[in-house]
Amino acid sequence: GAGVSQTPSNKVTEKGKYVELRCDPISGHTALYWYRQSLGQGPEFLIYFQGTGAADDSGLPNDRFFAVRPEGSVSTLKIQRTERGDSAVYLCASSLRRQGRAGELFFGEGSRLTVL
Amino acid sequence: AQRVTQPEKLLSVFKGAPVELKCNYSYSGSPELFWYVQYSRQRLQLLLRHISRESIKGFTADLNKGETSFHLKKPFAQEEDSAMYYCALSGRPNSGGSNYKLTFGKGTLLTVNP
């Protein structure tokens, strides 16, 4: 399919472990976003990439969270020393670049992370 | 800071009744408002945006800058409208420059009963 693809769809890990979540955006979309959605909440902004660079990482909660997009396409969200509070659905979205502001975001189905 | 408030977590109406999902925002700049929808077992998707001034699936929303609101309305609700609705905010800051961050509200779960 041509939509945003996220893997894994489900990840169960133990407290203190390292986790990587992958996002494959729509081909040709230069903008890529990561959001976190906890139960009963709306999507919470984490980080935005324009091409290979993180243009806005103001939403990353602390230095345990890191994201990369080395070739301007696939992105990986990395979480070190996971905590139970990190349990959430992690959403990736991509969009065409619009001058100066956010365009329509196309979302993946999310990666559900459970930290035991 | 940019903030979105959706005061109702749950909204239940009968088929054929009018529906209004409330959204208020706070933003220091020229706002751009969106409604996103998530149907059961589907991914989050754009429903409509204020700059397009369009009607999608019978839904409309008008940006009221005086009241800082962007309420979503439909005159006659259908059962297939049952879903989670999120209001979202972006826009250009007063300070100039760019703003690519899209901020979401907590969402309203709409249930349309037969």
Side-chain angles (χ1 to χ4, degrees):
Chain A
V4 176
S5 175
Q6 291 188 246
T7 54
S9 55
N10 271 289
K11 176 71 177 179
V12 180
T13 191
E14 293 179 342
K15 180 173 178 292
K17 298 289 189 184
Y18 170 81
V19 165
E20 286 190 354
L21 306 175
R22 176 190 164 104
C23 173
D24 201 340
I26 293 172
S27 178
H29 280 191
T30 56
L32 186 145
Y33 296 75
W34 283 101
Y35 283 83
R36 176 169 70 176
Q37 187 168 23
S38 302
L39 198 62
Q41 303 294 316
E44 174 194 11
F45 173 82
L46 295 178
I47 187 169
Y48 158 76
F49 286 90
Q50 182 58 48
T52 59
D56 185 344
D57 64 357
S58 61
L60 294 177
N62 52 58
D63 61 6
R64 294 188 298 106
F65 287 75
F66 190 71
V68 295
R69 194 185 185 199
E71 297 178 358
S73 178
V74 171
S75 175
T76 305
L77 179 65
K78 308 180 180 195
I79 310 173
Q80 298 177 317
R81 305 183 303 280
T82 52
E83 299 177 357
R84 292 196 180 89
D86 299 335
S87 296
V89 175
Y90 289 82
L91 296 170
C92 177
S94 69
S95 75
L96 290 169
R97 186 176 191 273
R98 280 181 59 199
Q99 188 62 35
R101 51 191 174 174
E104 176 181 356
L105 269 58
F106 294 83
F107 282 85
E109 293 185 324
S111 292
R112 181 177 298 279
L113 174 66
T114 303
V115 182
L116 300 176
Chain B
Q2 53 192 76
R3 194 176 302 119
V4 177
T5 303
Q6 293 181 250
E8 303 140 328
K9 290 191 79 169
L10 303 169
L11 185 61
S12 183
V13 301
F14 285 103
K15 177 183 171 182
V19 62
E20 180 179 52
L21 289 86
K22 291 184 166 48
C23 171
N24 289 90
Y25 68 90
S26 173
Y27 186 59
S28 301
S30 180
E32 188 167 346
L33 276 296
F34 306 80
W35 278 98
Y36 279 76
V37 61
Q38 187 166 25
Y39 300 102
S40 180
R41 288 185 287 278
Q42 294 188 27
R43 59 187 70 191
L44 194 57
Q45 60 186 289
L46 179 67
L47 178 63
L48 58 77
R49 70 188 90 184
H50 90 268
I51 59 170
S52 301
R53 301 189 66 82
E54 58 200 344
S55 172
I56 303 294
K57 300 185 179 182
F59 284 98
T60 59
D62 289 318
L63 178 60
N64 185 325
K65 291 188 178 180
E67 296 183 356
T68 59
S69 68
F70 188 59
H71 303 326
L72 184 67
K73 300 177 185 179
K74 184 169 182 177
F76 307 104
Q78 303 298 314
E79 289 180 67
E80 55 265 31
D81 296 328
S82 296
M84 195 74 182
Y85 290 82
Y86 295 97
C87 183
L89 165 70
S90 186
R92 283 205 182 270
N94 281 335
S95 56
S98 303
N99 173 30
Y100 298 99
K101 182 187 295 187
L102 189 63
T103 298
F104 287 83
K106 293 187 177 183
T108 298
L109 179 63
L110 174 65
T111 303
V112 181
N113 301 296

